[in-house]
Amino acid sequence: MHDTSQTRGGIHLFRYAAPAEFYRLAGKAVPVFGTVAAILAAIGLYLGLFVAPTDAQQGESYRILFIHVPVAWMGMLIYVVMAFWAAIGLVFNTRMSAIMASALAPTGALMAFLTLWTGSMWGRPAWGTYWDWDARMTSSLILLFLYMGFMALHSAIEDPRRADRAAAVLALVGVVNVPIIYFSVQWWNSLHQGSSIRVGSAPTIALPMLVPMIVLTFACWSYCIAVALARARAIILERERGTEWVGALVAGRAGALP
Amino acid sequence: MNWGSLHDFLAMGGYGGYIWSAYGVLALGVAAEIAGVRARLVRARRVTAALRGRAARPRPPAP
């Protein structure tokens, strides 16, 4: 990719190899994860909307949980992953980690918003209210605000490297909210029910209802990976325009970028 | 199969409004995100190619 004249010293290669390699690999991974997500979503939705039986207590309204639970898990998980990459970027000053954190934030925010939306659509028939300021719901709302704060802070600072560091600090402070969300239904007397699926104990829901939830969870995982990698590629181009590897990429492709 | 007719399916035992609102907003959100990321990638490629298109000639090594 580089002329020998342009790669004097290993440090040069090391500095530019990471985003270049990432850009190439992510370009191959996005369609794979996207296709897997679409197939799993189709299977999961079919199982959830057509195969799973009517719930004895909740009627059909419980079918919202097939999407509510996966997006709620992803909302929390993405935050932890985002904070992890932000921390790595902060400590080692690596560009790719900060780009990953920035690429994950909008997807995490969407998952956090969908958690609140689907939750309130389920809460109304199940509890008689769309919203309650209890621990689970309030901490879930704070999760959405943390994602939005991360994005707002990052876009408010002109220099991307400084923006990375400031947003990383916010992400790290906010990570304390994730265990609060997760354990809120145990720590406080909440309107929200306890977990039906927990690490280390058997699930308390029937198999035909569990399977669509699991399938849609993997669909959600796969979707989030695909969309975050695609966004990371866009951010790489936006931020690495001046580098030699992007120049070589443009030259090699006669202007049409892969 | 739980549903005798399309109407039964859409009605969802009286919870159709809540269920389709939940699934619908999810579908809209996902579609909007995919469209947004695609547009961002297309824009990033276009701007990059425009900026670097004529930069294919040999450049002096970075300092």
Side-chain angles (χ1 to χ4, degrees):
Chain A
M1 187 176 274
H2 294 282
D3 292 336
T4 40
S5 64
Q6 290 178 335
T7 52
R8 287 177 307 171
I11 188 74
H12 183 97
L13 253 183
F14 177 72
R15 274 182 65 204
Y16 290 106
E21 190 64 6
F22 185 95
Y23 185 86
R24 197 180 61 81
L25 286 177
K28 291 187 174 150
V30 169
V32 175
F33 284 106
T35 307
V36 169
I39 293 168
L40 289 179
I43 297 170
L45 288 174
Y46 172 74
L47 292 176
L49 292 174
F50 293 98
V51 175
T54 306
D55 187 76
Q57 288 162 23
Q58 301 178 28
E60 310 295 351
S61 70
Y62 89 99
R63 292 181 199 278
I64 291 171
L65 300 184
F66 293 140
I67 53 174
H68 175 70
V69 172
V71 297
W73 279 341
M74 282 316 291
M76 289 189 283
L77 180 66
I78 288 176
Y79 195 91
V80 175
V81 176
M82 180 184 89
F84 169 78
W85 284 122
I88 296 288
L90 200 60
V91 174
F92 298 105
N93 206 22
T94 43
R95 288 173 304 168
M96 215 36 247
S97 353
I99 289 173
M100 262 331 284
S102 292
L104 284 164
T107 301
L110 176 67
M111 293 299 133
F113 166 74
L114 290 173
T115 305
L116 297 170
W117 182 268
T118 56
S120 72
M121 286 303 125
W122 183 77
R124 177 66 189 171
W127 306 325
T129 179
Y130 288 107
W131 182 258
D132 185 45
W133 290 102
D134 86 335
R136 174 54 74 85
M137 281 156 249
T138 308
S139 55
S140 298
L141 183 64
I142 290 171
L143 183 72
L144 175 61
F145 290 160
L146 283 169
Y147 281 122
M148 288 162 63
F150 180 93
M151 291 187 283
L153 183 60
H154 200 285
S155 63
I157 300 173
E158 193 83 37
D159 174 22
R161 306 305 297 276
R162 278 187 60 222
D164 287 343
R165 287 195 287 274
V169 172
L170 177 77
L172 283 173
V173 172
V175 85
V176 71
N177 186 50
V178 172
I180 292 179
I181 300 173
Y182 189 79
F183 293 109
S184 56
V185 287
Q186 296 167 39
W187 290 347
W188 289 280
N189 194 0
S190 174
L191 189 59
H192 197 286
Q193 63 183 346
S195 308
S196 308
I197 306 163
R198 226 171 302 164
V199 179
S201 59
T204 54
I205 63 173
L207 203 60
M209 299 177 178
L210 177 66
V211 172
M213 203 177 277
I214 299 294
V215 173
L216 286 173
T217 297
F218 283 114
C220 205
W221 266 72
S222 213
Y223 166 76
C224 290
I225 293 171
V227 80
L229 288 180
R231 188 180 290 110
R233 295 185 87 218
I235 299 175
I236 288 174
L237 283 186
E238 289 163 7
R239 290 173 65 162
E240 303 272 317
R241 255 165 212 151
T243 61
E244 282 170 17
W245 75 267
V246 173
L249 200 64
V250 174
R253 299 283 179 153
L257 281 168
Chain B
M1 188 69 73
N2 294 297
W3 320 105
S5 66
L6 180 65
H7 180 265
D8 276 4
F9 176 68
L10 293 177
M12 281 281 159
Y15 296 108
Y18 300 113
I19 292 177
W20 298 123
S21 159
Y23 280 81
V25 169
L26 176 110
L28 279 179
V30 166
E33 186 179 32
I34 292 172
V37 167
R38 279 212 173 127
R40 187 172 177 178
L41 199 49
V42 166
R43 193 168 57 239
R45 282 180 184 134
R46 202 177 51 223
V47 173
T48 305
L51 279 176
R52 301 298 301 255
R54 285 178 212 86
R57 71 180 96 88
R59 292 161 67 251

